[in-house]
Amino acid sequence: MIEYFSYVFPHAIWRILPHPAPERDEWAVELRDTQNKETAFALIDLAKPTMRWLVKPEGTDWWTTLTAFAGEQVLMHNYRFPDMPEPTDLLAVSEGEGLLSWAVPNHVFVRVLDESHLLVATRQNDSVRYKQCNMHTGELRPYSKDEKNSSAEQPNYQLPVRYRPRDVYFTTLSSFLDKTVNVKEVLAVDYLEVNPYIAFSYYIYEEEKIAQYALIINRQREVLYHQRMAEGREWVGRDTMFLKGNTLVFLRNSNELVSLKLEP
């Protein structure tokens, strides 16, 4: 059984990040209007499911980027010097309402230390100094490696494996798609196993342009979901399918988020 939800945004989806907690199903979304050079941010709660907020928080501009999701805060980086490709400031927006919680100039996010603290860094001359940042208030204090867990964070979601014509298994996968949904001359295949399902995102030519399709089947090769996700593309996209727990998220037509709940 598959539970379906989708939301169409007014601008293109640039990046999405799920909440790191396994039991939570909230997704932060970065949106960009490239024509007017405007940026906005949203939060979708797929447990409801509903779009909780869509805002342009105080302190953000065209150069602001979605960076991390930590506790009750959505973290963003500002770039004060657009000609330099390095973030300069760290902002926190409340997960509940999308309002600016705090800003820490001249510091950037490194990783989450624990449920209340972040590791941040600042550049001083030719060296980098690390500090501990209170996740709730933005307060900084000295950081010691001995006082907090310094292990690196692991991604809390999965991305599919991309197969192209020269890759091992590409012929096997393209043959499988041909037999299952009568698709020929595949350009690329994204493959993700979601026991007891298999998810594909594949690309083919349609009227001299590239079209992308999503396909989900079960172990009995029964087609449970098969939809076009984009058409008229000039190139094969990246990061258009995400899996967290039993939630599979697709991007459709650059501005629509599609969520599929895959029941065991």
Side-chain angles (χ1 to χ4, degrees), residues 57-160:
E58 178 186 356
T60 63
D61 57 27
W62 169 248
W63 306 105
T64 306
T65 60
L66 182 62
T67 301
F69 207 157
E72 305 303 316
Q73 308 289 354
V74 178
L75 304 178
M76 304 174 185
H77 276 149
N78 264 356
Y79 291 73
R80 255 183 290 151
F81 310 106
D83 54 331
M84 298 178 61
E86 291 188 1
T88 53
D89 313 304
L90 180 62
L91 310 178
V93 170
S94 65
E95 173 266 346
E97 299 175 330
L99 301 177
L100 180 67
S101 298
W102 48 261
V104 180
N106 303 314
H107 289 75
V108 297
F109 171 77
V110 178
R111 67 172 181 269
V112 175
L113 291 172
D114 58 34
E115 60 184 13
S116 298
H117 299 90
L118 309 171
L119 180 65
V120 298
T122 185
R123 188 180 296 277
Q124 293 187 348
N125 298 322
D126 293 330
S127 64
V128 176
R129 293 188 60 184
Y130 295 95
K131 295 183 182 179
Q132 181 174 289
C133 176
N134 186 299
M135 194 182 301
H136 310 295
T137 65
E139 180 183 2
L140 299 176
R141 72 179 185 87
Y143 169 74
S144 170
K145 289 185 179 180
D146 297 331
E147 64 180 292
K148 295 292 177 185
N149 180 8
S150 60
S151 60
E153 284 189 292
Q154 297 297 318
N156 65 317
Y157 58 90
Q158 293 177 251
L159 295 174

Side-chain angles (χ1 to χ4, degrees), residues 182-197:
N182 193 29
V183 173
K184 304 181 187 302
E185 298 183 7
V186 176
L187 301 173
V189 180
D190 294 336
Y191 177 88
L192 188 61
E193 291 194 23
V194 195
N195 193 39
Y197 308 95

Side-chain angles (χ1 to χ4, degrees), residues 1-6 25 27 46 49 194 197-200 214-217 224-227 229 241-252 257-263:
M1 181 179 179
I2 297 179
E3 182 181 336
Y4 175 89
F5 171 80
S6 76
D25 209 2
W27 296 67
L46 294 177
V194 195
Y197 308 95
I198 303 176
F200 299 88
L215 170 68
I216 300 175
I217 64 172
L224 305 177
Y225 183 86
H226 190 206
Q227 295 287 333
M229 306 306 287
M241 180 166 64
F242 307 78
L243 175 70
K244 182 191 175 189
N246 69 334
T247 301
L248 187 66
V249 168
F250 287 96
L251 303 186
R252 179 158 61 193
L257 186 146
V258 177
S259 165
L260 304 174
K261 296 275 190 172
L262 305 177
E263 298 300 330

Side-chain angles (χ1 to χ4, degrees), residues 24 28-29 36 43 76 84 99 157 208-209 212 249 253:
R24 295 176 64 166
V29 184
N36 298 311
L43 188 127
M76 304 174 185
M84 298 178 61
L99 301 177
Y157 58 90
E208 300 183 354
K209 294 287 186 176
Q212 177 195 4
V249 168
N253 295 327

